[in-house]
Amino acid sequence: MTGAPEHPRRRRAFVLCAVVLLGLPLICALLGPWLADPADPRSGAYAPPSSDALLGTDFVGRDVVDQVLLGGRTVVLVGGGAAVAAYIVGVPWGMCAAAARRRWVDEVLMRPLDILLSVPSLLTLLLIAGLSRPGPLVLGGVVSLIMLPEVARISRAAALAAASGPAMEAMLLTGESWWRRNFRYLGGTVLPTLATDFGMRIVGALYLVASAAFLGVGVAPDAADWAVMVDRNRPGLFLQPWAVLVPALLVTAMSVGLNLLFDQALHRRRETT
């Protein structure tokens, strides 16, 4: 009983922590380009922090603070947009396969995705991006395509039991509309699973975009990008660690903050139902 009053405070603390962790990278990514001064290099490579460069300089002598402010848009917008696009396509795809009353429909919908899923993600990234004109739209499309099979599979798995259960049979017998059966009922059934998965899927999209930047796919090798900063400044990690640690910590903070927010939202939904 003594622990019960502390529960709301603990929840608020988790939410506040998640907002701070998620908010700082988002502010840097969205507002940073207007705050940064993308000037020419003013010092030598891997210069230590000083009054001119508060976090020192990177591998070509650029101010780390300015590069951090300029470097978040690709990771945040491309990664987040790719995850949302994969869900927009993958969730209806998987739910239609689960709701199909004929096995051949399920096979036709899911087998092509299984083939795509069998190809390593980095290989798909390299092949498609290598054959296309590099750019953020191509990179986002490739990341969405890589994530699509997994999103469709988990949507199908989450909806399969409910789609063939007694509640669905009763709705069919009583003549409930297709919309009410497949969107309101099945959608409500799979929502907790998909909300949990979406938090992890955003993290996966962020790391795929970062991996693409490491490989130079869709992002210039000297671009102001958090993933490129981590990769290109690794040789000077012990000389100038801020050029690696700050962008890496921002990506990590965004990932942890997203997962905390989704976790708290799911707890709240379970308590109200």
Side-chain angles (χ1 to χ4, degrees):
M1 296 297 292
T2 56
E6 296 179 358
H7 181 69
R9 289 198 296 269
R10 192 160 57 244
R11 175 186 296 165
R12 285 194 293 269
F14 272 112
V15 172
L16 179 61
C17 181
V19 169
V20 171
L21 288 173
L22 183 58
L24 183 59
L26 289 180
I27 289 172
C28 287
L30 300 178
L31 301 182
W34 285 279
L35 302 175
D37 178 21
D40 293 331
R42 290 167 288 184
S43 305
Y46 299 129
S50 64
S51 58
D52 291 331
L54 296 179
L55 293 177
T57 62
D58 65 1
F59 68 108
V60 292
R62 298 173 299 190
D63 190 344
V64 170
V65 173
D66 290 332
Q67 294 303 297
V68 167
L69 292 174
L70 291 168
R73 281 195 168 180
T74 301
V75 175
V76 173
L77 297 182
V78 175
V84 171
Y87 262 73
I88 289 174
V89 178
V91 171
W93 194 315
M95 290 181 64
C96 286
R101 312 292 293 183
R102 295 175 178 82
R103 183 175 178 81
W104 68 268
V105 176
D106 188 11
E107 294 289 332
V108 167
L109 288 172
M110 299 307 296
R111 292 295 79 79
L113 298 182
D114 291 344
I115 295 172
L116 185 60
L117 190 62
S118 66
V119 182
S121 58
L122 287 180
L123 179 59
T124 304
L125 187 67
L126 287 172
L127 286 176
I128 298 180
L131 296 173
S132 306
R133 187 174 180 178
L137 289 178
V138 172
L139 179 57
V142 174
V143 172
S144 297
L145 184 63
I146 291 171
M147 297 172 61
L148 174 63
E150 295 181 355
V151 173
R153 283 171 64 90
I154 198 168
S155 301
R156 175 185 177 275
L160 197 57
S164 57
M168 179 62 75
E169 296 295 335
M171 295 176 77
L172 285 168
L173 291 174
T174 56
E176 293 286 355
S177 66
W178 184 89
W179 174 270
R180 186 176 180 84
R181 295 194 317 267
N182 294 291
F183 278 86
R184 295 192 61 182
Y185 173 63
L186 281 185
T189 301
V190 304
L191 181 61
T193 301
L194 295 182
T196 304
D197 180 72
F198 186 72
M200 295 303 298
R201 203 65 61 187
I202 285 281
V203 177
L206 294 178
Y207 286 124
L208 275 174
V209 172
S211 300
F214 290 156
L215 299 170
V217 178
V219 182
D222 60 346
D225 179 271
W226 291 345
V228 173
M229 289 180 67
V230 173
D231 181 51
R232 296 296 182 262
N233 290 298
R234 282 183 302 158
L237 177 61
F238 295 103
L239 295 174
Q240 220 301 59
W242 298 114
V244 176
L245 294 180
V246 173
L249 288 173
L250 285 170
V251 173
T252 303
M254 186 163 52
S255 303
V256 174
L258 276 169
N259 280 293
L260 283 176
L261 278 181
F262 277 107
D263 184 61
Q264 291 303 308
L266 285 174
H267 278 299
R268 187 175 183 85
R269 186 179 185 277
R270 280 196 293 266
E271 290 178 358
T272 56
T273 54

